[in-house]
Amino acid sequence: MTGPAKADPARADRPAGAGHVVGAHGPDASDERVGGGRAAATGTMRTRGHDRAVAGIRAMVAGRVPHAVLISGPAGIGKTTLALDLAAGLLCDDPDPLARPCRACRGCRLVERGRHPDVHRLAPSGPGDQIRIGTRDRPEDGTVRRLASDLVLMSVEGGARVAIIERADRLTDDAQTALLKTLEEPPAGVTIVLCADDEDRLLPTVRSRAARIRLGPVAVREIELILGDAGLAEPPLAARLARIAAGRPGAARMLARAPEALAARDEIARSLLDLLAAGPAQRLAAVRDLTARATDLARALDRAALAVDDPDGGVGGEPAKRGRAKGKGAAGKAATATQAGSSAPAAAPGEDDDGSDDGDAVDEPGAGKTSVPAAERRRAATVVVALWRELARDLLLVALGEERQVRDPGLLDDLREAASSLGPTADQSPATGRTASSGSAVGPGSAAAPGAHGLGRFLGQLDAAGELLEANVRPELVLDTLLLHWPRAAAR
């Protein structure tokens, strides 16, 4: 008896598609027909809300697969889930290419459980939250050289092999150079999928050797349905989380799984709004409390991520599980909090680029000699800045009378009260009391929105603060400076 057809390793000899962008303009494979006009069977994809990207993946599974695929988009948008859909399709045993992945065969089940021996996973790890090149002679697990050495081996199941590199923008330059050799001369039957939050951090030579799929925001209503179908949130909460997530289903799912993280998020936001009426001394004294709550938020999201075991916040009906696939590094946690807490792209993890710590430590109140590592402090500051950016944006929208565009309706009453307190003095620096130049208009209605100019400038300062944290500037200094420039409520 003949067994189900396996994926053809010969398809590795497939330069077609390299450098081609699918997703926004990908073919819709679901519209294809087979003999007699009968609609073709279609495989089951876990990805939702990215119809054109899924159509592009279907076309790859049913036809010629490029040896490398680059999937880019903000953290939590669904990159890893889409990569696993491609892996399942290539490793599916169904004889009909259009029916892959069937989700019922041995290959599909192994991918679903994270146990397929021919799926290799690599992710940032270690103090610097990076993907390193590894030693030349005996490369360590979780390095590019170890992955390359694994990929030259024969397929365990006798079919295709897939390597998924998560957060590929965290590859060091040396690691990218080493990976380039594999991309230029890929082993037979291997498809390498790079998932990157920021593809511009990848070398141009790496980007040019991969077919590219860019994932954009998912509609709010679709995210609500995803949360409801997964039983993660009741409709009112699902509606709020869908707006907070700003088009990233993974972020919404993560917050839904961590109610304590959502509570910490709300507490940080309200504390920042209260500080509008505070003087310099009170603002500076608030840094410890803000970072402590940000640390609580990050840890809650870490626990949720471990429970789901899906670092990219899978967007399908079932979370994609991580297994101990050969060549897979441990996923870094540093981007989890930014992923679920803000619509901004995840900032670089809070460690030096070379993986070293800056040696500083801060004593926590009431903790005796216990100190907080620099990496944890920087991570907390990154979370605060990301949430602050969302809050300042919503506050500016309320001040301009654009409440319908507010991202977090759960804070609308607090935002209204805060916006009404921003009088003409809102453009003054709390530290000096001097009024800054208003500059260009903020937008429609800005003339009737006291303090809007100050909020617009402050958003620019928040963007600069994120860059400073990436550059390893002391996090306490960054937060102190922001607090002293946070617009001041008008005296009553």
Side-chain angles (χ1 to χ4, degrees):
M1 181 177 293
T2 304
K6 290 283 186 180
D8 185 4
R11 285 188 295 174
D13 210 8
R14 46 186 187 256
H20 177 60
V21 179
V22 298
H25 306 288
D28 189 353
S30 63
D31 287 340
E32 295 186 19
R33 294 287 187 270
V34 292
R38 179 176 57 85
T42 55
T44 302
M45 298 288 181
R46 298 303 187 202
T47 299
R48 290 176 57 176
H50 301 293
D51 294 345
R52 292 180 179 175
V54 168
I57 294 296
R58 289 190 191 280
M60 292 180 185
V61 171
R64 300 182 65 188
V65 186
H67 67 269
V69 180
L70 170 58
I71 305 175
S72 62
I77 202 73
K79 301 182 295 296
T80 300
T81 304
L82 187 63
L84 288 168
D85 281 340
L86 176 59
L90 295 177
L91 297 166
C92 179
D93 296 330
D94 196 295
D96 181 3
L98 296 178
R100 302 172 185 166
C102 67
R103 302 293 175 180
C105 68
R106 169 182 164 80
C108 284
R109 293 198 307 270
L110 287 174
V111 172
E112 191 83 2
R113 296 169 185 167
R115 296 290 185 270
H116 202 296
D118 291 322
V119 176
H120 305 259
R121 304 281 291 273
L122 187 59
S125 61
D129 195 51
Q130 295 177 322
I131 303 176
R132 295 177 175 78
I133 185 172
T135 59
R136 187 178 299 275
D137 296 331
R138 305 183 68 136
E140 316 90 297
D141 285 339
T143 61
V144 167
R145 280 179 172 158
R146 177 58 182 270
L147 175 64
S149 64
D150 288 339
L151 291 179
V152 299
L153 302 176
M154 294 292 293
S155 168
V156 176
E157 295 287 314
R161 285 171 296 161
V162 180
I164 299 175
I165 304 179
E166 301 165 33
R167 294 171 60 206
D169 46 318
R170 295 302 296 164
L171 284 158
T172 64
D173 288 346
D174 286 345
Q176 291 190 51
T177 301
L179 178 65
L180 188 59
K181 297 177 182 178
T182 303
L183 294 176
E184 290 173 339
E185 299 178 5
V190 169
T191 298
I192 300 174
V193 186
L194 300 100
C195 301
D197 296 350
D198 183 3
E199 66 174 277
D200 290 338
R201 292 192 178 190
L202 294 172
L203 297 175
T205 47
V206 171
R207 298 198 303 267
S208 66
R209 283 162 174 77
R212 292 154 77 177
I213 300 176
R214 298 186 183 95
L215 300 185
V218 176
V220 170
R221 179 56 183 159
E222 181 66 25
I223 297 178
E224 291 181 37
L225 292 174
I226 289 170
L227 295 177
D229 292 347
L232 292 173
E234 294 298 321
L237 178 59
R240 184 191 177 196
L241 294 179
R243 291 180 66 89
I244 290 175
R248 298 167 304 136
R253 291 172 69 98
M254 199 64 69
L255 283 173
R257 292 189 178 98
E260 62 273 32
L262 184 61
R265 187 185 191 280
D266 291 346
E267 187 176 330
I268 292 171
R270 291 190 171 97
S271 296
L272 289 170
L273 291 176
D274 290 342
L275 288 174
L276 289 169
Q282 187 176 350
R283 291 177 178 219
L284 294 176
V287 170
R288 281 185 182 273
D289 289 339
L290 288 172
T291 54
R293 291 303 283 145
T295 299
D296 293 340
L297 186 157
R299 289 173 177 170
L301 291 172
D302 285 346
R303 290 191 294 271
L306 288 173
V308 178
D309 219 17
D310 181 8
D312 200 42
V315 299
E318 294 287 342
K321 299 179 181 179
R322 284 181 68 100
R324 298 183 177 275
K326 197 172 182 180
K328 175 186 69 65
K333 300 176 184 177
T336 307
T338 10
Q339 168 184 324
S342 166
S343 66
E351 289 280 357
D352 303 40
D353 283 346
D354 61 2
S356 62
D357 197 71
D358 63 11
D360 296 332
V362 173
D363 293 334
E364 286 282 12
K369 295 293 184 180
T370 303
S371 58
V372 181
E376 191 168 328
R377 288 159 35 219
R378 199 169 296 111
R379 182 188 183 192
T382 299
V383 173
V384 172
V385 170
L387 294 179
W388 210 338
R389 186 184 292 111
E390 290 297 313
L391 182 69
R393 173 195 175 276
D394 280 357
L395 183 57
L396 177 58
L397 288 172
V398 172
L400 294 173
E402 301 288 344
E403 292 186 359
R404 294 185 63 183
Q405 298 184 43
V406 168
R407 192 158 284 157
D408 189 355
L411 295 173
L412 190 53
D413 290 341
D414 301 271
L415 291 168
R416 287 170 178 159
E417 183 179 351
S420 67
S421 72
L422 294 177
T425 57
D427 287 351
Q428 294 179 347
S429 165
T432 65
R434 296 176 182 173
T435 302
S437 172
S438 60
S440 59
V442 175
S446 59
H453 292 299
L455 286 169
R457 282 193 302 276
F458 187 73
L459 279 168
Q461 290 176 304
L462 286 167
D463 290 338
E467 295 174 1
L468 290 172
L469 288 172
E470 286 193 47
N472 203 27
V473 173
R474 190 179 179 90
E476 292 79 17
L477 178 60
V478 172
L479 293 180
D480 285 349
T481 303
L482 287 173
L483 284 166
L484 292 177
H485 287 86
W486 184 219
R488 187 174 63 182
R492 295 187 181 274

